[in-house]
Amino acid sequence: MGRYILFRLLKWIPSVFILLLLIYALVFFGAGDPIKLIFLQAPGDVAYDPARVEAIRDAAGLNRPFMVQFGDYLLNILHGNFGNSLVSGRSVNSMIIAALPVTLKLGLTAIFLLSLVGIILGVIAALNQNKLLDNLIVGFALIVWGIPVFVAGPLIIVFLVLVLDMDVPYGWSGLFSWKVIVPLLVLGLNPMALIIRQARAGVLEVLSEDYVRTARAKGIPRYQVVIKHIMRPVLTPVASQIGLLIIATLNNSILIEKVFGLPGLGRLTETAIKSSDYPVILAIVLIFSTVVMTSNLLVDLSYPLLDPRAAAKKTGDE
């Protein structure tokens, strides 16, 4: 197991290096120029002066060759320093530290709730196959699966304001504030449909196994059959979707945090992209890739715990 984890980590390092190199190249050779944007957005009637822009770029070290700048950036990362924002001049580390807890709290809570509710609804639908309750749950999953987050967010806000005459849940007041309910709902509805379908399919497959039919024939109560014999094998395919759910949650957080005014990494990403603030962009890309890689590794390590056959196979491979 230890060798497997080390192998996965060694595979992750070149992947992140190539990703950072591509993002750095896109920003370096792209059309966006953060210094020019700062100059043009300065208050007052200031005439555009190319010479002044070049002087600022020289002072910031942005006119050096591409590989020189990228090499310096990698050295700073190895020392735990993401540099300073080109727009605000603030330390990128401090900006990340301020925004990361909001995204983590919101994202992890959404993933936990959508996984829990999705598994329960999927199991209920499978145990009532082709009945009214099954049709309602599957229909609900199909509807929410077909509504993108960028449509669901504004629609819910319009419904709350125009129909229910409520205030828009804007801003961050902590995870246990009522304002977090709507962002969590918008963030979790679409991915939850995937969990419902996966759990339902897994239960239907397990119900046809001999050991489940034998347990039911012995008169074991239905809830015990579900808990002891069905849930564990069903969790294996569901766990395989957790990595995809984390990626979807990170992607959707950019829109959700913008719409609901949440000061997380998603909103920081949107601001950094608009201003071509590539030290911030690169730091967020590194964090997102680390989160995705870690989640995929944890999912892989959970397979032997959920399915003994996977553990035997992994032991044989090693």
Side-chain angles (χ1 to χ4, degrees):
M1 185 66 70
R3 187 172 62 179
Y4 172 76
I5 297 175
L6 180 60
F7 178 71
R8 289 294 300 269
L9 292 175
L10 292 177
K11 285 179 61 178
W12 174 73
I13 293 174
S15 301
V16 173
F17 173 80
I18 294 173
L19 180 63
L20 288 177
L21 180 62
L22 290 175
I23 298 297
Y24 203 99
L26 287 174
V27 179
F28 185 88
F29 297 107
D33 187 343
I35 305 302
K36 186 183 294 185
L37 290 174
I38 294 172
F39 188 87
L40 295 176
Q41 294 173 0
D45 187 12
V46 181
Y48 177 71
D49 184 1
R52 184 181 174 190
V53 172
E54 289 301 314
I56 297 175
R57 289 179 59 83
D58 283 332
L62 300 178
N63 282 335
R64 296 175 298 162
F66 168 75
M67 291 307 299
V68 173
Q69 293 190 46
F70 184 66
D72 289 345
Y73 179 77
L74 290 180
L75 289 176
N76 288 333
I77 286 181
L78 293 176
H79 290 88
N81 179 21
F82 290 110
N84 296 323
S85 168
L86 297 177
V87 176
S88 64
R90 293 175 55 196
S91 168
V92 176
N93 292 52
S94 64
M95 298 170 69
I96 295 296
I97 291 173
L100 183 59
V102 176
T103 300
L104 284 180
K105 291 177 182 178
L106 189 68
L108 292 177
T109 304
I111 291 172
F112 172 76
L113 291 178
L114 71 91
S115 299
L116 180 62
V117 176
I119 290 172
I120 293 174
L121 291 179
V123 172
I124 293 174
L127 295 178
N128 295 274
Q129 185 182 13
N130 297 329
K131 296 180 181 179
L132 177 61
L133 191 57
D134 179 32
N135 294 331
L136 289 176
I137 294 175
V138 173
F140 167 76
L142 291 176
I143 291 174
V144 298
W145 177 255
I147 302 178
V149 173
F150 59 84
V151 174
L155 282 179
I156 290 180
I157 290 179
V158 170
F159 178 77
L160 292 176
V161 174
L162 298 184
V163 179
L164 300 182
D165 196 24
M166 295 176 58
D167 294 331
V168 177
Y170 193 84
W172 177 257
S173 302
L175 185 61
F176 298 101
S177 170
W178 71 271
K179 295 181 180 180
V180 137
I181 297 176
V182 177
L184 283 176
L185 183 65
V186 177
L187 198 59
L189 270 181
N190 187 276
M192 185 174 64
L194 180 63
I195 296 295
I196 292 175
R197 295 167 60 187
Q198 194 76 40
R200 180 181 181 274
V203 172
L204 291 178
E205 181 180 354
V206 175
L207 284 175
S208 62
E209 296 289 342
D210 292 337
Y211 67 90
V212 174
R213 290 200 298 265
T214 302
R216 298 177 67 177
K218 289 180 178 180
I220 298 177
R222 195 177 189 184
Y223 74 92
Q224 290 187 12
V225 174
V226 172
I227 295 175
K228 293 183 178 180
H229 300 286
I230 295 179
M231 288 305 300
R232 188 170 181 177
V234 166
L235 289 177
T236 302
V238 171
S240 65
Q241 304 297 326
I242 298 298
L244 297 177
L245 293 180
I246 291 176
I247 295 174
T249 302
L250 292 177
N251 291 334
N252 294 335
S253 68
I254 297 177
L255 177 66
I256 296 300
E257 292 176 7
K258 173 67 175 178
V259 171
F260 295 100
L262 303 175
L265 283 183
R267 193 176 183 185
L268 184 62
T269 302
E270 184 256 349
T271 303
I273 292 175
K274 280 185 177 180
S275 58
S276 296
D277 196 354
Y278 62 82
V280 180
I281 296 174
L282 289 168
I284 294 174
V285 167
L286 182 60
I287 291 173
F288 277 12
S289 62
T290 302
V291 171
V292 171
M293 177 265 178
T294 304
S295 64
N296 289 334
L297 179 60
L298 293 177
V299 168
D300 288 347
L301 296 179
S302 70
Y303 286 155
L305 301 177
L306 297 174
D307 188 353
R309 292 171 298 180
K313 183 178 179 181
K314 189 176 294 297
T315 303
D317 292 341
E318 293 182 354

